[in-house]
Amino acid sequence: MTSATPVNLMGLDRTALERFFAELGEPRFRATQVMKWIHQHGITDFSVMTNLSKGLRELLTERAEIRLPRVALDQASEDGTHKWLVRVDSGNCVETVLIPEPDRVTLCISSQVGCALDCTFCATAQQGFNRNLSSDEIVGQLWLAARQLPELRISNVVFMGMGEPLTNFDNVVQAINIMLDDFGYGLSKRRVTLSTSGVVPALDRFGDVCDVALAVSLHAPDDELRNRLVPINRKYPIATLLQACQRYLDKQPGNRQRVTWEYVMIDGVNDSDQHARALARLIRNIPSKVNLIPFNPFPGTRFARSSAERISGFRDILMAAGVVTITRRTRGDDIDAACGQLAGEVQDRSRRPVRMARLQVSA
Ligand code: SAH
């Protein structure tokens, strides 16, 4: 008799685990028992799961596994930020960043090995695209970070590491379900943020199944400039994107949600007073918050960071127009852990001309 490949329970949300146990003829509550062992107690060995019968533990050892990616490198920044290089297969690593702050501890996770989107100011884009991460590889980053530094309670998760989460839809949704589940990590939906460059059809689908916080990488107030910085804008221009964001908020009445607009401040490119005024006008009808991100340089980039004066001038214009604006503090740049600096180790399987084509198929 040949035995089937073991199922990795690490990446199964409650519904999927209930289905798994139903197929074994076991009651539904086995799903929550096992979720607690894995995600709350950090147990990966079935033999330790003492509230399961010995027979079931043996069966699980045959049919299932709890497999995690491996930490290949652990770096700590002087400011307390940690960056892990996480090996997901023999050729590829992604990066995960932990950012402790006085009032919260945020984990920035990756959703893909590389990225297919080609944003001109982002280090990950230069790596090309290799593959989607599976749900166990996504949630595994949270599992690993929580075990590596157990004294820091992770309160927030942001999908702002490598990759475009909305082009890895099912795996990202399943991982989010585990993060929000009371038997998983029990994170509040306002403390899990999906960041997207604006894959409009996928954003609409996402709003049908999830109601976590939404961040959108805008970076320019007009299509001409955004087409150059965020090429997916040619497919889903700003007006279309804004309507989709409004629809996302409308699906969660009473939730007091707003969109966080991410805006990377690039010297002489998108940082003038006119840009600030156009941005304020553009978003005035959507509940919004603007997050200004000082551009983080990486080898080979032709862009530079706006000066501190320019960033505060830009911010003042937005604030005067009534837009809540914060400037993201650059964290972990001594270990290349800041926004847009995550490169991991990617065996690029994409070639630039075919990348947009692939995107159109998956979007
Ligand atoms: N693909 C998703 C999530 C990953 S990027 C998205 O585009 O939203 C997380 C944030 O870092 C995005 O807002 C991205 O535009 C920004 N970013 C990328 N490169 C950067 C750089 N060099 N400096 C500062 N921020 C950058």
Side-chain angles (χ1 to χ4, degrees):
M1 221 176 70
T2 54
S3 61
T5 344
V7 183
N8 187 6
L9 305 190
M10 185 73 211
L12 300 191
D13 62 13
R14 204 194 301 186
T15 314
L17 264 182
E18 284 176 352
R19 202 176 312 126
F20 170 80
F21 281 111
E23 278 161 19
L24 293 183
E26 289 286 326
R28 292 160 74 100
F29 65 82
R30 296 285 178 232
T32 49
Q33 287 179 316
V34 168
M35 278 187 92
K36 274 181 92 166
W37 281 116
I38 299 175
H39 302 290
Q40 297 186 359
H41 303 296
I43 297 295
T44 56
D45 179 353
F46 294 117
S47 67
V48 182
M49 301 185 180
T50 45
N51 55 358
L52 309 181
S53 71
K54 195 149 175 293
L56 178 58
R57 280 182 262 161
E58 280 165 9
L59 186 64
L60 287 176
T61 310
E62 271 171 39
R63 302 277 184 90
E65 60 180 352
I66 300 166
R67 189 164 32 84
L68 284 148
R70 224 166 29 76
V71 172
L73 188 68
D74 178 350
Q75 286 175 286
S77 158
E78 283 177 0
D79 67 14
T81 304
H82 273 258
K83 182 172 87 169
W84 292 284
L85 186 66
V86 176
R87 177 160 294 290
V88 289
D89 59 50
S90 59
N92 294 298
C93 292
V94 295
E95 294 184 333
T96 308
V97 179
L98 185 99
I99 308 144
E101 288 173 286
D103 59 335
R104 66 180 99 170
V105 177
T106 303
L107 189 70
C108 176
I109 61 175
S110 296
S111 57
Q112 296 179 321
V113 182
C115 188
L117 259 53
D118 238 355
C119 299
T120 44
F121 53 87
C122 180
T124 305
Q126 305 220 323
Q127 303 292 301
F129 175 79
N130 184 282
R131 67 171 174 89
N132 282 332
L133 293 182
S134 56
S135 60
D136 49 276
E137 290 165 336
I138 298 171
V139 85
Q141 296 170 63
L142 176 54
W143 190 100
L144 284 174
R147 301 303 134 204
Q148 294 274 321
L149 298 173
E151 67 283 9
L152 293 178
R153 260 194 90 77
I154 296 166
S155 57
N156 294 55
V157 170
V158 295
F159 281 82
M160 295 183 189
M162 296 164 67
E164 167 50 52
L166 287 183
T167 58
N168 183 13
F169 193 90
D170 293 342
N171 296 333
V172 164
V173 167
Q174 186 153 202
I176 290 176
N177 289 342
I178 300 170
M179 292 171 189
L180 301 183
D181 197 307
D182 285 342
F183 295 96
Y185 295 84
L187 294 177
S188 138
K189 61 189 176 190
R190 292 191 188 199
R191 289 172 172 269
V192 174
T193 302
L194 182 109
S195 178
T196 179
S197 52
V199 191
V200 166
L203 179 57
D204 278 326
R205 279 210 289 145
F206 187 71
D208 293 336
V209 294
C210 261
D211 58 356
V212 296
L214 176 66
V216 173
S217 294
L218 194 59
H219 307 313
D222 62 81
D223 284 325
E224 190 270 323
L225 180 56
R226 193 165 191 266
N227 283 346
R228 286 193 277 136
L229 296 177
V230 186
I232 197 178
N233 193 70
R234 295 180 206 142
K235 187 144 196 259
Y236 307 115
I238 292 178
T240 312
L241 174 58
L242 260 57
Q243 286 163 7
C245 292
Q246 186 60 58
R247 286 195 293 275
Y248 186 82
L249 298 186
D250 289 345
K251 284 175 190 164
Q252 345 177 343
N255 215 349
R256 297 198 354 264
Q257 282 261 36
R258 53 188 175 179
V259 178
T260 299
W261 306 102
E262 296 167 280
Y263 197 100
V264 57
M265 294 295 288
I266 311 176
D267 183 38
V269 173
N270 64 352
D271 63 348
S272 71
D273 287 355
Q274 290 89 308
H275 290 124
R277 284 192 287 267
L279 175 60
R281 266 197 310 278
L282 184 69
I283 59 176
R284 66 172 176 247
N285 292 325
I286 300 184
S288 294
K289 181 170 102 183
V290 170
N291 213 327
L292 299 178
I293 314 172
F295 172 74
N296 293 306
F298 52 88
T301 181
R302 58 193 152 100
F303 294 126
R305 180 182 296 180
S306 310
S307 69
E309 298 73 51
R310 183 80 295 265
I311 296 175
S312 58
F314 195 95
R315 182 173 145 262
D316 290 347
I317 292 175
L318 290 171
M319 299 280 271
V323 179
V324 178
T325 307
I326 54 164
T327 305
R328 194 178 286 175
R329 231 167 18 108
T330 297
R331 298 285 305 257
D333 51 347
D334 55 335
I335 53 169
D336 285 343
C339 309
Q341 292 185 318
L342 302 186
E345 274 176 34
V346 179
Q347 287 190 329
D348 185 7
R349 287 217 206 108
S350 59
R351 262 173 250 121
R352 272 167 202 274
V354 299
R355 259 190 244 164
M356 285 305 280
R358 174 181 306 112
L359 187 69
Q360 285 166 16
V361 173
S362 60

